[in-house]
Amino acid sequence: MSACPMTNKPPHAAAAAAARSQHKPIPKFPFSRTHGLDPPAEYAHLRETDPVSKVELFDGTQAWLVTRYDDCCSVLTDQRLSKERKRPGFPELSAGGKAASKNRPTFVDMDPPDHMRQRGMVDSLFSKASVDKLRPTIKKTADELLDKLVEHGCKDGPVDLVAWFCLPVPTYTIYHILGVPTADLPYLTRCAAIRSSGSANAAEAAGANTELLQYIAALVDQRLASPKDDLLSKLAVEQVKPGHIEKEDAVQIGFLLLIAGNATMVNMINLGIITLLNHPSQFAELKANPKELMDPFIDELCRYHTASALACRRVAKEDIVLGGKKIKTSEGLICATQSANRDPRAFPPPPSPDDFDIHRARTHDSLAFGWGEHRCIAEYLSKVELEIAFTALFERLPGLGLGCEEGELRLARADRDVGVEELPVLW
C-alpha cells in the first residue's frame, strides 16, 4: 500500500509558522535607494507581499507603511486619521522632524476645520487665475538667469545648473509672491540653499532656519505698518490686524510657503533634465512638439520620480482596518507615495510603471502632490514653473548635456527624498 501524500502540516507546525510570521524582523525606515535615482527596492517587494506593514523609525518607534495606490488614497481621505503632528504616535522620520513637530503648526499640520480655515487665508494666491498672472514674471526670471548663464559660458568646464538656474527659478518666484524685496533675494537664496542642502550639518541648517524666520518676522512687521500687494501684506491686513491669527502664525505660514516645496522644485528640474537625456527619443519628441507634450511630460516626470515622497503621514484617532490590518488608536501611518506611483494596479502596463513614458495613458492621477484635502496648495504653480523652466532651457541651451558621467553626480542622501545636489552641465 502506497503512502498517502501529506497535504496538511500538523497543528504544531502551522502554529510555529504563524509565530515566525508574527515575529519576522521589522525593517527600518526610511529605506535607502541602492541604484542611483531608482526607488528603494523594498517598495516593490512590500507592494506585492505585505502592502500594509510595520516599519521601525529612527527612535525605535513603529509605524504602518502603506505601499499601494488605493490604500494610500484611502489613508489620505480618511477623517479617522489625523495630520496633527503633536498627537501621540504621529510618525516622525528624524530627530529634526521630531523637534519641528513642537513648533506652532500651520495648515499643513491641521485637521478640519482649522486646516481649511487657515489654508483659505492664502489659497486664492495659488489659484489658476492668480498663477497665470505670474507667468510673465516667472518667464522673465528664467530668461534673465539664462542670459547670465550663457554670458558666463562653459568654455572653462562644466557649470552647476543648480546654482545658476534650478535653485533661483522657484526660489525667486515664491519670494515674489511673499513680497520679498528684490535686493534681498541673493541673501535669502543662500539661506534657503543651506537649509535644504544634504551636505549642511545640523547647526548650519538650524542657523539658516533661524535667519529665515527672523527675516520673515521683520517683513511682517513692515507689512503691518505699510501694506503692499503681496501674500504677507494680505495676511497682515486681513488676518493679523483683525485678530484672526497672531503675528507668529503669519510668520510660520510665510516660512512654510518659502521652504515647503523649494527643494522639491529644484530637484524636479534637475531630475527632468537627467531623465530626458536618458530618453533621447522622447526628448526629441518633446522639443519638436512642446505644446502637445509638455503637460504629459511634467505629469509623467512627477509620477516617475516623486521628489517629495515622505510627507504624507497620519496618526489614527480611533481603531481602523486597512488592507486587512488593524490599525490601533495612536498608531502612525506613512503613505509611500513613491511606491504608490509605481503601483501596476494604478498604472497598468504596458508600459511598465517602472518605465518613463510621456505617452502613458492617464488612468489615475499620480500622488506626487498628495491626495485629498491636503493636496499641495501650490500644485498648479509648480507645474507652471516646470513648464516655463524647461521651455526656456530647451530654447536657450539646445545642446544641453551632462558635464560628467551620471554615476558621478552628487545625489541626495540615499534615505532621503530623491534629488541631485549639483548638476554639472555643458552646452
Side-chain angles (χ1 to χ4, degrees):
M1 182 176 176
S2 61
C4 293
M6 186 169 62
T7 56
N8 293 306
K9 295 180 181 180
H12 67 275
R20 284 195 299 273
S21 175
Q22 292 176 0
H23 293 91
K24 64 183 179 181
I26 296 177
K28 294 185 181 297
F29 188 83
F31 302 137
S32 291
R33 298 183 303 279
T34 56
H35 188 265
L37 301 172
D38 292 341
E42 291 91 340
Y43 285 151
H45 174 71
L46 289 174
R47 229 175 18 241
E48 303 308 317
T49 62
D50 201 3
V52 180
S53 57
K54 284 284 188 74
V55 290
E56 182 181 324
L57 307 181
F58 78 101
D59 57 357
T61 59
Q62 296 179 8
W64 294 94
L65 183 69
V66 184
T67 53
R68 288 184 181 173
Y69 183 96
D70 284 348
D71 289 336
C72 284
C73 290
S74 177
V75 168
L76 298 177
T77 54
D78 193 330
Q79 295 300 317
R80 298 170 297 174
L81 306 176
S82 174
K83 192 73 165 60
E84 295 175 352
R85 294 174 70 178
K86 292 185 179 182
R87 282 183 179 266
F90 190 93
E92 297 293 349
L93 304 183
S94 68
K98 197 167 188 175
S101 70
K102 299 174 183 177
N103 295 340
R104 182 184 292 260
T106 59
F107 59 86
V108 295
D109 297 321
M110 293 177 176
D111 293 338
D114 294 336
H115 165 246
M116 286 309 298
R117 183 182 68 83
Q118 193 181 89
R119 177 170 169 143
M121 297 175 185
V122 295
D123 63 357
S124 64
L125 294 174
F126 295 92
S127 68
K128 184 178 186 301
S130 294
V131 171
D132 283 341
K133 290 179 182 177
L134 284 174
R135 283 178 177 272
T137 300
I138 301 171
K139 186 178 186 306
K140 182 173 182 288
T141 297
D143 288 342
E144 289 177 349
L145 290 166
L146 288 174
D147 286 342
K148 294 176 182 178
L149 179 60
V150 170
E151 182 181 359
H152 179 273
C154 57
K155 291 182 180 180
D156 296 330
V159 178
D160 178 20
L161 198 65
V162 172
W164 283 86
F165 185 78
C166 303
L167 174 64
V169 167
T171 304
Y172 287 11
T173 299
I174 194 62
Y175 289 168
H176 175 82
I177 293 171
L178 289 172
V180 171
T182 302
D184 296 342
L185 295 182
Y187 162 72
L188 288 181
T189 303
R190 285 195 296 272
C191 291
I194 291 171
R195 74 163 305 281
S196 63
S197 172
S199 58
N201 60 42
E204 291 171 333
N209 269 356
T210 300
E211 287 192 52
L212 289 169
L213 283 166
Q214 290 174 343
Y215 178 89
I216 295 171
L219 197 55
V220 170
D221 285 335
Q222 293 175 28
R223 295 300 182 260
L224 283 167
S226 179
K228 296 187 177 181
D229 184 20
D230 55 50
L231 185 146
L232 290 180
S233 294
K234 181 179 176 67
L235 287 174
V237 172
E238 297 178 6
Q239 306 301 332
V240 177
K241 280 189 174 180
H244 301 317
I245 62 174
E246 296 179 9
K247 173 193 163 184
E248 289 77 10
D249 294 307
V251 172
Q252 288 294 335
I253 294 171
F255 181 72
L256 165 72
L257 296 174
L258 189 154
I259 59 94
N262 196 63
T264 301
M265 281 301 303
V266 174
N267 279 318
M268 290 313 299
I269 301 173
N270 294 335
L271 295 168
I273 294 166
I274 296 167
T275 303
L276 287 172
L277 292 174
N278 284 333
H279 297 81
S281 62
Q282 294 187 59
F283 194 4
E285 285 186 80
L286 178 60
K287 288 194 287 188
N289 190 11
K291 185 175 180 180
E292 296 295 326
L293 294 178
M294 184 60 75
D295 286 349
F297 159 64
I298 291 172
D299 285 343
E300 177 69 350
L301 176 67
C302 294
R303 180 203 70 84
Y304 185 70
H305 281 301
T306 317
S308 179
L310 301 172
C312 292
R313 291 168 281 141
R314 300 289 189 272
V315 64
K317 295 188 287 187
E318 59 185 82
D319 293 358
I320 68 166
V321 175
L322 179 71
K325 304 290 181 69
K326 182 177 181 181
I327 316 296
K328 297 179 181 179
T329 303
S330 296
E331 289 187 336
L333 300 97
I334 303 166
C335 288
T337 51
Q338 190 175 42
S339 172
N341 281 341
R342 300 290 184 103
D343 188 346
R345 297 157 193 81
F347 306 97
S352 166
D354 289 322
D355 292 336
F356 176 83
D357 192 332
I358 60 177
H359 300 294
R360 182 181 303 279
R362 299 291 148 191
T363 55
H364 291 75
D365 280 355
S366 85
L367 302 187
F369 293 93
W371 194 255
E373 64 187 13
H374 277 279
R375 190 162 178 153
C376 178
I377 192 173
E379 177 176 355
Y380 184 67
L381 172 64
S382 300
K383 290 181 175 180
V384 167
E385 288 178 328
L386 290 172
E387 171 201 327
I388 292 172
F390 287 123
T391 300
L393 280 169
F394 301 160
E395 290 176 353
R396 298 295 302 279
L397 305 177
L400 184 67
L402 291 183
C404 67
E405 296 296 322
E406 186 174 338
E408 298 173 347
L409 290 172
R410 282 185 55 207
L411 304 182
R413 261 179 48 175
D415 62 346
R416 294 186 180 178
D417 282 328
V418 61
V420 180
E421 298 286 340
E422 294 178 355
L423 188 63
V425 297
L426 299 167
W427 60 91

